[in-house]
Amino acid sequence: MPGFRKTLKRWIRDSYDYLGLVLIYSFVWFGVFLAGMGLIVGVGRTAHPGAVVGMSLAFMVFVLSPLAAGVYAAAKKMVTRDDPAVADVFHGFRDYFADAWRLGFWQLFITLMLVANAVFYLRNQGLGWKVLGVLVVYAFILWAMSMLYHYPILIEQKPGVLKILKRGFLLTLDNAAFTLGVFFVIILLTCFTAATLIGLPLLYLGMASILQTRLLRGVFVKYDMLPPERDFGFEDVDDPGFKLPDPVKPEALEVEGDKTDG
């Protein structure tokens, strides 16, 4: 299993090597997000607030989730060096549409339930309520960490939504330190791209999808579900299996020549 530092190194290398595609994938998803939300806000000026909320949730589930699955499908191609192209994000949207909107629905539903319960318990007076609120907050953090695996599992295995949720939870528990480290990097990436403004639409989802794909594939190596990946670089010259032929000495050439003349 690759270590945390090697995973980050490979993530940065992949993001740099395919920077153009990272920019395009991120911009496509964020552009659709802005266009859809702008349309909903425009329509919502004359609609009931409940209808606006419903349209927003439906847009997130039926459009943004499958489009995100397309970005993650393209991220896998970038990680595996499988000739990624701009059209891959749209192919992924089509191929994973049904599973992606179901996954998006459950992600949104569970997230909203945890947030609502945490707010409810923490706002109530009494030590018991506060303790319940803190427990729900911890459950939310665990849930957020497990979500790092959801889309990569969907792309890698396509097992069904309930199995995705279960496997994401189990992988998080069994690889808590590794997952927490990547989770922290995702938070830093979010803060950095949001602070720079231009980074959010151009870098965020493309880079985050590559890192989460790296996370899952690194864990799969641990369970022998994928072979270890080898980094090819200058360090391979020191590999024990690599050896240059010994140079031929001039004396040996003279001896061979004498034998030939004789």
Side-chain angles (χ1 to χ4, degrees), residues 178-208:
F178 190 29
T179 307
L180 183 61
V182 173
F183 183 66
F184 182 70
V185 174
I186 291 287
I187 293 175
L188 292 179
L189 177 65
T190 305
C191 295
F192 172 76
T193 54
T196 57
L197 296 180
I198 193 65
L200 193 60
L202 293 181
L203 293 175
Y204 177 71
L205 190 59
M207 293 188 67

Side-chain angles (χ1 to χ4, degrees), residues 71-243:
V71 175
Y72 281 84
K76 179 185 175 182
K77 282 198 165 188
M78 288 188 282
V79 168
T80 58
R81 308 283 163 151
D82 189 20
D83 295 328
V86 175
D88 290 332
V89 65
F90 303 107
H91 295 160
F93 178 90
R94 177 196 62 198
D95 297 339
Y96 297 97
F97 178 81
D99 290 319
W101 79 256
R102 295 189 187 98
L103 177 60
F105 169 80
W106 283 108
Q107 284 183 332
L108 187 61
F109 177 77
I110 295 175
T111 299
L112 292 177
M113 289 294 295
L114 289 173
V115 171
N117 279 275
V119 172
F120 174 78
Y121 291 137
L122 292 174
R123 292 184 63 180
N124 279 279
Q125 301 297 325
L127 180 61
W129 293 110
K130 300 295 184 184
V131 171
L132 284 175
V134 172
L135 292 177
V136 174
V137 170
Y138 280 117
F140 175 78
I141 295 174
L142 180 62
W143 163 249
M145 291 171 58
S146 71
M147 288 174 65
L148 299 180
Y149 292 100
H150 289 174
Y151 280 105
I153 291 176
L154 171 64
I155 304 305
E156 195 73 39
Q157 298 181 320
K158 204 175 182 179
V161 175
L162 294 181
K163 289 183 179 180
I164 290 175
L165 301 181
K166 178 182 177 182
R167 291 174 187 177
F169 179 73
L170 294 177
L171 289 175
T172 301
L173 290 180
D174 197 38
N175 303 274
F178 190 29
T179 307
L180 183 61
V182 173
F183 183 66
F184 182 70
V185 174
I186 291 287
I187 293 175
L188 292 179
L189 177 65
T190 305
C191 295
F192 172 76
T193 54
T196 57
L197 296 180
I198 193 65
L200 193 60
L202 293 181
L203 293 175
Y204 177 71
L205 190 59
M207 293 188 67
S209 61
I210 293 175
L211 179 55
Q212 291 172 238
T213 302
R214 279 289 177 192
L215 168 66
L216 178 71
R217 294 180 69 85
V219 170
F220 274 5
V221 170
K222 172 183 177 181
Y223 302 115
D224 294 327
M225 299 176 67
L226 286 174
E229 179 181 349
R230 184 178 179 184
D231 289 320
F232 291 95
F234 293 109
E235 64 274 10
D236 294 314
V237 177
D238 296 327
D239 189 273
F242 181 86
K243 186 178 181 181

Side-chain angles (χ1 to χ4, degrees), residues 33-94:
F33 166 73
L34 288 181
M37 295 306 298
L39 181 61
I40 291 172
V41 170
V43 174
R45 293 176 181 177
T46 58
H48 189 273
V52 176
V53 174
M55 287 188 293
S56 300
L57 297 179
F59 174 67
M60 295 173 64
V61 169
F62 291 104
V63 178
L64 294 183
S65 294
L67 190 58
V71 175
Y72 281 84
K76 179 185 175 182
K77 282 198 165 188
M78 288 188 282
V79 168
T80 58
R81 308 283 163 151
D82 189 20
D83 295 328
V86 175
D88 290 332
V89 65
F90 303 107
H91 295 160
F93 178 90
R94 177 196 62 198

